[in-house]
Amino acid sequence: MKKILLVEDDKSIITNLSEFLTNEGFSVRNAEGQTRALELIGEEEFDLVLLDVSLADGNGFAVCSAIKSEHNTPVIFLTASGDEYSTVTGFELGADDYISKPFRPRELVLRIKNILRLTGGSGTVTKLGDVLVDTVKGTASRNGSDLYLSALEYRLLLVFLNNRGAVLSRNQLLEAIWDIAGEFVNDNTLTVYIKRLREKIEEDPQNPKIIKTVRGLGYKVDL
Amino acid sequence: MKKILLVEDDKSIITNLSEFLTNEGFSVRNAEGQTRALELIGEEEFDLVLLDVSLADGNGFAVCSAIKSEHNTPVIFLTASGDEYSTVTGFELGADDYISKPFRPRELVLRIKNILRLTGGSGTVTKLGDVLVDTVKGTASRNGSDLYLSALEYRLLLVFLNNRGAVLSRNQLLEAIWDIAGEFVNDNTLTVYIKRLREKIEEDPQNPKIIKTVRGLGYKVDL
DNA sequence: CTGTCTGGTGAAAGACTATTTAAAAGAAAA
DNA sequence: TTTTCTTTTAAATAGTCTTTCACCAGACAG
């Protein structure tokens, strides 16, 4: 199910659109202002953002820039009719479509589906706390800035990603990454890599929030 | 220069739009009816089609279907305002955008540019930084002057082009280009080709901006 | 409280990867 | 055939990643 973020401060629009989009099979979240929108974008991964240009706490352009600089979630602008300036600026900031109020919800849905089709779903990004991993690009980032992970660090991260919630024993991890049967790698190598990875992805590596140690059993990522 | 086909039977719109779009740097051809449109599409390659829904000799949907089934040239529908049915059908037939009359030419241009961007330049010419690749002619150029790529160099470039943004492992690349299963080519062959390609397409081959190395994972083009 | 075990840390040797250069082998054109 | 261009292989180099080792810290059992 596609997740849509609706950034809009007109309550009646929120209510109507939310309902309509939900009925159309989308999962919708609302943000009533710029600040809240940026917060949510940092926390969750959306498939598409509907962005009102004129927000009470500032126009939507800042939000659009923020989105486009970090993720490349598609953005559709909602603007007051006749506001040509918005159209221009919106597209220049990388908006993917634009629809002017008042619009028929039905048309909006069509535009949403269309944009999702054109931008190719882009469902390769996974989130781990504030860390974003793009398995197609082979990159990981935190708060928008790239994490420079070595090949093994990256592979280790992927193993955790594919086994969220599960406790992985040292042996499992060793096998998953140093898979050459019979070949032995010093068990501590893993420990060292856990440390390195934590240093790069954790806010406070001494108190890891992402990769937790389960003493006697192994490690797990539970987010 | 992008070639646009304008399918429209209202003479005044033809005149106005043609002039406006030409001024914006597009090359425009007109077709006053369905029949003529289909003819032109068969003869020439367009980068984008502007399609009026209500044509004297039948609605534009047939034209849209024809375009989408053969080429995948992007299509923007022009419809009478309030004609919701058209919107729905148009998108379902694979239209890429839709604008209702009366519209501001300026907005149309924005939508055109936007769609051209989203559909990846569509046509046959792709841009990679300052390198232009024409997949029909099988040529590449930089700053207007031709690049003389060998067959393998060109194929390598195409593989990157078709997988923009994605990290491609050495093996993937080897398979894509030296695809004979089981046959071994020295792994370094690839490295050498990367170097040669970089030497030809990069401004500063030592600091590649187009083909980036992702140590331990492979290479990628991310532009 | 003490000893042992598990996991964390820092630093250094050397293993590996990617790059580069050069040249041999192969194909196509003259 | 000779010439020229393309493709492949090989060997040297630079830099970074990986692995190991020695040591530290805290948990837990006796």
Side-chain angles (χ1 to χ4, degrees):
Chain A
M1 181 188 285
K2 297 293 179 182
K3 286 173 66 181
I4 292 182
L5 175 62
L6 172 59
V7 187
E8 169 64 75
D9 51 7
D10 181 331
K11 293 245 202 285
S12 76
I13 294 188
I14 294 181
T15 320
N16 289 330
L17 261 192
S18 292
E19 197 189 323
F20 194 89
L21 291 175
T22 307
N23 284 337
E24 285 288 328
F26 296 103
S27 141
V28 183
R29 299 219 50 183
N30 307 311
E32 293 202 12
Q34 228 194 132
T35 328
R36 180 76 183 126
L38 291 172
E39 248 177 67
L40 282 173
I41 287 160
E43 287 167 14
E44 292 178 47
E45 186 79 15
F46 293 97
D47 294 294
L48 187 141
V49 179
L50 294 173
L51 192 50
D52 188 359
V53 179
S54 49
L55 296 167
D57 63 343
N59 67 39
F61 299 138
V63 182
C64 185
S65 301
I67 293 168
K68 289 296 175 182
S69 66
E70 289 188 29
H71 327 280
N72 54 347
T73 313
V75 172
I76 298 181
F77 266 96
L78 314 176
T79 85
S81 163
D83 184 354
E84 185 167 357
Y85 167 74
S86 298
T87 321
V88 181
T89 319
F91 275 127
E92 271 165 6
L93 289 175
D96 298 276
D97 202 351
Y98 146 100
I99 189 168
S100 55
K101 303 179 194 172
F103 49 81
R104 293 180 297 279
R106 182 98 200 95
E107 180 179 344
L108 179 59
V109 170
L110 288 170
R111 289 202 177 275
I112 289 173
K113 288 184 181 165
N114 190 47
I115 290 298
L116 287 175
R117 177 176 64 81
L118 287 175
T119 54
S122 74
T124 57
V125 182
T126 328
K127 243 182 84 171
L128 214 56
D130 53 355
V131 175
L132 289 175
V133 183
D134 188 322
T135 51
V136 166
K137 288 189 181 174
T139 57
S141 62
R142 212 164 79 86
N143 305 325
S145 57
D146 270 11
L147 292 175
Y148 205 74
L149 300 183
S150 82
L152 278 190
E153 287 159 1
Y154 179 73
R155 273 162 72 191
L156 183 56
L157 182 58
L158 282 194
V159 173
F160 279 118
L161 220 53
N162 294 328
N163 295 280
R164 273 166 180 247
V167 181
L168 298 168
S169 72
R170 300 177 92 75
N171 273 335
Q172 279 179 295
L173 290 167
L174 283 168
E175 276 172 30
I177 294 166
W178 291 270
D179 48 5
I180 318 110
E183 289 264 355
F184 288 116
V185 210
N186 188 321
D187 174 90
N188 193 40
T189 305
L190 175 61
T191 316
V192 172
Y193 269 93
I194 295 281
K195 174 191 153 49
R196 298 227 181 103
L197 193 49
R198 278 178 174 160
E199 243 162 24
K200 293 186 181 176
I201 70 174
E202 299 276 358
E203 194 157 5
D204 175 6
Q206 256 85 23
N207 278 46
K209 292 276 176 290
I210 300 174
I211 301 176
K212 297 246 172 85
T213 304
V214 186
R215 206 183 168 76
L217 291 179
Y219 299 90
K220 74 166 171 179
V221 163
D222 199 2
L223 271 171
Chain B
M1 181 186 285
K2 297 292 181 183
K3 285 172 67 180
I4 293 182
L5 174 62
L6 172 60
V7 186
E8 167 69 71
D9 50 7
D10 180 331
K11 295 246 202 288
S12 76
I13 295 189
I14 293 181
T15 320
N16 289 329
L17 261 192
S18 292
E19 195 189 326
F20 195 89
L21 291 176
T22 307
N23 284 337
E24 285 288 327
F26 297 103
S27 140
V28 184
R29 300 220 48 183
N30 307 310
E32 294 204 12
Q34 230 192 129
T35 327
R36 180 76 184 125
L38 292 172
E39 247 177 68
L40 282 174
I41 287 161
E43 288 166 15
E44 292 179 46
E45 186 84 15
F46 291 98
D47 295 294
L48 188 140
V49 178
L50 293 173
L51 193 48
D52 188 0
V53 179
S54 49
L55 297 166
D57 63 342
N59 66 39
F61 300 139
V63 182
C64 185
S65 301
I67 293 168
K68 288 297 174 180
S69 63
E70 289 184 32
H71 326 277
N72 56 343
T73 313
V75 172
I76 298 182
F77 265 95
L78 313 176
T79 87
S81 161
D83 186 354
E84 185 166 356
Y85 168 74
S86 300
T87 322
V88 180
T89 319
F91 274 126
E92 273 165 5
L93 288 176
D96 297 276
D97 202 350
Y98 146 99
I99 189 166
S100 56
K101 303 179 194 169
F103 50 81
R104 290 180 298 279
R106 181 100 198 93
E107 180 179 344
L108 179 60
V109 169
L110 288 170
R111 289 200 178 278
I112 289 172
K113 287 185 181 163
N114 191 48
I115 290 298
L116 287 176
R117 177 175 64 83
L118 286 175
T119 53
S122 104
T124 59
V125 181
T126 324
K127 234 179 90 176
L128 215 56
D130 53 357
V131 174
L132 290 175
V133 183
D134 188 322
T135 52
V136 165
K137 290 188 189 165
T139 58
S141 61
R142 211 164 81 86
N143 305 326
S145 59
D146 271 9
L147 293 175
Y148 293 99
L149 300 181
S150 81
L152 280 188
E153 286 160 1
Y154 180 72
R155 272 162 75 189
L156 182 56
L157 182 58
L158 278 195
V159 173
F160 278 118
L161 221 52
N162 293 328
N163 295 280
R164 267 170 181 242
V167 192
L168 300 169
S169 71
R170 299 178 98 74
N171 274 335
Q172 279 178 295
L173 291 167
L174 283 168
E175 276 172 29
I177 294 167
W178 291 269
D179 47 6
I180 318 110
E183 287 263 356
F184 289 116
V185 209
N186 188 323
D187 175 90
N188 195 39
T189 305
L190 175 62
T191 315
V192 173
Y193 269 93
I194 295 279
K195 177 186 156 47
R196 299 232 179 97
L197 194 49
R198 277 178 174 160
E199 245 159 23
K200 293 187 182 177
I201 70 175
E202 299 275 359
E203 194 158 4
D204 175 6
Q206 254 86 23
N207 277 49
K209 292 276 175 291
I210 301 175
I211 301 176
K212 296 239 171 92
T213 304
V214 186
R215 189 171 243 270
L217 292 181
Y219 298 90
K220 74 169 165 182
V221 164
D222 199 2
L223 272 172

